[in-house]
Amino acid sequence: MTVDPERPPTAAHPWLAAALRYATNGWPVFLLSRSKRPVALCRTCHAARRDKTPHDPQTCGCLTCHGFYAASTDPDRITAMFAAVPRGLLAIRTGAPSGLVVIDVDPRHDGHITLRALINRGLTPPTRYVHTGSGGLHLYYAHPGRPVPCDQARRLGPGIDVKADGGYVLAPPSLHPATGRPYRWADQDAAVMDMAPALVAACVAELRPAPARRPVPALPARSAGAISHPDRLMATLVDRIHQAPDGRRRVTLYGCARGAALIVATGHMTKTDAYDQLVAACDAARWPWAKSTPNAIRDGFAAEGVTL
């Protein structure tokens, strides 16, 4: 069945139906923006973050703020999410809240080759899995009951990420934002199996100490005053995105990305948070999604020596 992302959700809409089905499994679900990034914060939550006002994402009552913290198994709340973000992408919160650990196989980085090696080592027994919209796989396993961190350092091997505590995955029948292809279950009735002990051990193993980072060079004098108030600077950059006219959006976003990269370089913000806030600002300004959006951010970051 082809799913139209423009179609408003109804009780019979397969996106909502799938979300309610996941909820009955005890899997908290939420909605992402068209870019696979969290939906932009509401004004109140954005102001709380900007002003550093005490605000616990886990207890926030907003339907879509704070990414996976908004995930729920309440049918009424899930239905309201679709009404609030009718074009959102369906996602499942991983980790202890859902009882899931998902092994993400990325074919662009030889993930399928690595997966075969993991199978041969007995680390990844057969389980319920998803064909992703990018041509990869999501292998769903039962959470072992002990903390399992998300891992994008690919300790299991090239092309293999772990989505667990503190993470999420895009869920069927969402469409991949770059390819337009749907995420789909290989066998929706298959069981979610326990993780092999060796896989648990590999996932919870301590990371090796990271190599020492080179000190960040001091910023030029022209930037020193602005960086002394990083929250204000980020708010200004977000406002520029909202005010950008048609035909100037990419160049505006590139410039804002350079400004955000300066905040990252001075240690006031992680590059992931900076990227997320820029993308969320584009979504909140209702920019049509295009591949040039993440490219403009990456190019702006790279111009200031920050790589994604």
Side-chain angles (χ1 to χ4, degrees):
M1 179 182 297
T2 300
V3 179
D4 181 2
E6 303 288 341
R7 177 183 172 192
T10 66
H13 191 300
W15 291 59
L16 177 55
L20 296 175
R21 187 167 60 250
Y22 300 147
T24 63
N25 291 342
W27 301 348
V29 299
F30 66 106
L31 294 176
L32 297 169
S33 68
R34 301 187 307 276
S35 63
K36 282 177 60 175
R37 293 287 175 174
V39 175
L41 297 178
C42 69
R43 290 182 181 274
T44 300
C45 293
H46 175 72
R49 171 181 285 182
R50 180 193 63 212
D51 301 334
K52 297 185 178 179
T53 303
H55 184 74
D56 186 356
Q58 298 194 72
T59 60
C60 178
C62 295
L63 283 173
T64 58
C65 291
H66 310 296
F68 63 70
Y69 289 111
S72 176
T73 58
D74 181 349
D76 292 336
R77 187 175 176 86
I78 293 169
T79 301
M81 287 181 192
F82 275 93
V85 190
R87 296 173 61 193
L89 300 177
L90 178 58
I92 296 172
R93 183 175 182 178
T94 54
S98 60
L100 293 173
V101 173
V102 178
I103 306 301
D104 182 1
V105 182
D106 184 354
R108 297 170 301 176
H109 297 92
D110 296 327
H112 287 119
I113 296 173
T114 304
L115 176 60
R116 286 197 292 271
L118 295 176
I119 292 172
N120 291 337
R121 293 164 55 193
L123 266 67
T124 52
T127 190
R128 187 171 176 178
Y129 67 96
V130 165
H131 292 286
T132 70
S134 62
L137 299 171
H138 283 169
L139 311 181
Y140 280 60
Y141 289 101
H143 193 279
R146 57 186 293 190
V148 179
C150 287
D151 172 36
Q152 292 183 318
R154 296 181 169 167
R155 284 177 287 165
L156 295 180
I160 304 290
D161 293 338
V162 178
K163 310 293 187 180
D165 295 307
Y168 61 85
V169 290
L170 211 59
S174 292
L175 305 179
H176 192 281
T179 68
R181 295 198 298 265
Y183 286 64
R184 55 186 178 83
W185 291 105
D187 183 352
Q188 191 161 287
D189 297 321
V192 174
M193 304 301 291
D194 289 337
M195 299 174 68
L199 179 60
V200 176
C203 288
V204 303
E206 292 293 329
L207 285 170
R208 294 179 180 175
R213 297 179 60 183
R214 291 181 297 176
V216 177
L219 291 170
R222 63 180 175 81
S223 300
I227 299 300
S228 66
H229 299 286
D231 291 340
R232 295 181 193 175
L233 175 55
M234 196 66 200
T236 299
L237 299 176
V238 168
D239 287 341
R240 287 180 185 172
I241 290 173
H242 279 266
Q243 297 170 12
D246 291 345
R248 296 284 298 173
R249 286 174 170 171
R250 191 188 189 285
V251 68
T252 298
L253 182 56
Y254 172 81
C256 290
R258 292 192 66 168
L262 293 176
I263 301 175
V264 172
T266 54
H268 292 291
M269 182 182 295
T270 69
K271 57 186 177 184
T272 299
D273 283 343
Y275 183 96
D276 286 349
Q277 288 195 44
L278 292 172
V279 171
C282 295
D283 285 335
R286 299 187 182 279
W287 288 15
W289 182 251
K291 292 182 180 179
S292 60
T293 299
N295 290 340
I297 298 174
R298 292 190 183 95
D299 290 348
F301 278 21
E304 299 297 339
V306 176
T307 58
L308 283 172

